[in-house]
Amino acid sequence: MPRRALDNPIVLPVLGLLLEQPTHPHQMLAELRRRSDAHAAAITRGTLRNTVAALTEADWLAPLERQRSGNRPERTVYALTDAGREGLVRRLDSRIRTPKRGFSRFLGAVAHLGALGRDGSVEALTERGRRLRERTAEDERQLGNAWRRASRACTSSRPSTRRAWSAPRPRGSTR
């Protein structure tokens, strides 16, 4: 798979959805948008179509079946392959364990904070603090929801869910 396709920020959410169950791209798009406002703006049908094609070309996804509902066009249902599951686990493990520092627009702006003047600086930083508290509260809410879903999946009686949670671990990782 081309490196650029692997770097697409929707790769992990797509693989994560398919870890839960096979589905078609239209349903993936709807579910990704439903689950996260953070992804919603970045995901278009074209981006998702290209990502699914690249993941399929890399043998991380495989077409499972074609479905038709009423007058709608046929839709291809995709499933995660063993290689895709291993790739997902490897990437998640790495991203969770290894923090990365990126360029911060905020730190770039702080370097010139004096241009806002004393009152403008205090007002801007106060507003930023308020917004960060709101974002933190929302992140904590979403993390709680994800934890509850994961807990239910761990105890699920569905074989596909149990299989997803028993995915292989990358070399050198411990639980």
Side-chain angles (χ1 to χ4, degrees), residues 12-23 27-41 43 88 138-139 141-143 145-150 152-153 158 161 165:
L12 287 179
V14 166
L15 294 174
L17 281 178
L18 291 170
L19 182 66
E20 295 172 17
Q21 67 181 16
T23 189
Q27 189 175 356
M28 285 180 217
L29 183 61
E31 186 62 19
L32 289 170
R33 286 180 172 167
R34 186 188 70 76
R35 288 186 184 188
S36 173
D37 290 335
H39 296 303
I43 301 175
L88 170 63
E138 177 60 19
D139 288 350
R141 186 188 68 73
Q142 289 184 10
L143 183 58
N145 290 340
W147 182 254
R148 283 187 288 282
R149 281 193 310 269
R152 283 192 304 269
R158 288 177 34 199
T161 305
W165 280 95

Side-chain angles (χ1 to χ4, degrees), residues 11-173:
V11 166
L12 287 179
V14 166
L15 294 174
L17 281 178
L18 291 170
L19 182 66
E20 295 172 17
Q21 67 181 16
T23 189
H24 55 79
H26 181 76
Q27 189 175 356
M28 285 180 217
L29 183 61
E31 186 62 19
L32 289 170
R33 286 180 172 167
R34 186 188 70 76
R35 288 186 184 188
S36 173
D37 290 335
H39 296 303
I43 301 175
T44 64
R45 275 183 262 161
T47 300
L48 182 59
R49 185 181 330 108
N50 292 340
T51 301
V52 168
L55 290 168
T56 303
E57 184 178 319
D59 294 324
W60 283 27
L61 305 183
L64 189 62
E65 64 181 353
R66 294 182 64 84
Q67 294 178 342
R68 181 182 296 272
S69 178
N71 291 336
R72 294 184 179 156
E74 276 192 341
R75 293 181 174 157
T76 302
V77 174
Y78 291 89
L80 195 61
T81 64
D82 288 340
R85 186 175 293 109
E86 289 169 11
L88 170 63
V89 169
R90 195 173 43 252
R91 286 170 163 268
L92 286 173
D93 187 73
S94 173
R95 289 189 184 183
I96 290 170
R97 291 174 187 274
T98 311
K100 291 200 176 189
R101 184 177 301 267
F103 175 76
S104 166
R105 291 173 44 192
F106 172 69
L107 292 178
V110 167
H112 306 287
L113 194 60
L116 297 178
R118 183 171 187 219
D119 291 343
S121 297
V122 168
E123 184 180 320
L125 290 170
T126 300
E127 182 175 339
R128 179 180 177 83
R130 179 187 56 76
R131 289 180 180 185
L132 286 172
R133 284 188 298 278
E134 290 171 359
R135 184 181 299 168
T136 299
E138 177 60 19
D139 288 350
E140 287 175 346
R141 186 188 68 73
Q142 289 184 10
L143 183 58
N145 290 340
W147 182 254
R148 283 187 288 282
R149 281 193 310 269
S151 296
R152 283 192 304 269
C154 283
T155 59
S156 173
S157 60
R158 288 177 34 199
S160 62
T161 305
R162 283 197 313 268
R163 188 172 52 252
W165 280 95
S166 61
R169 290 177 291 156
R171 277 186 213 166
S173 68

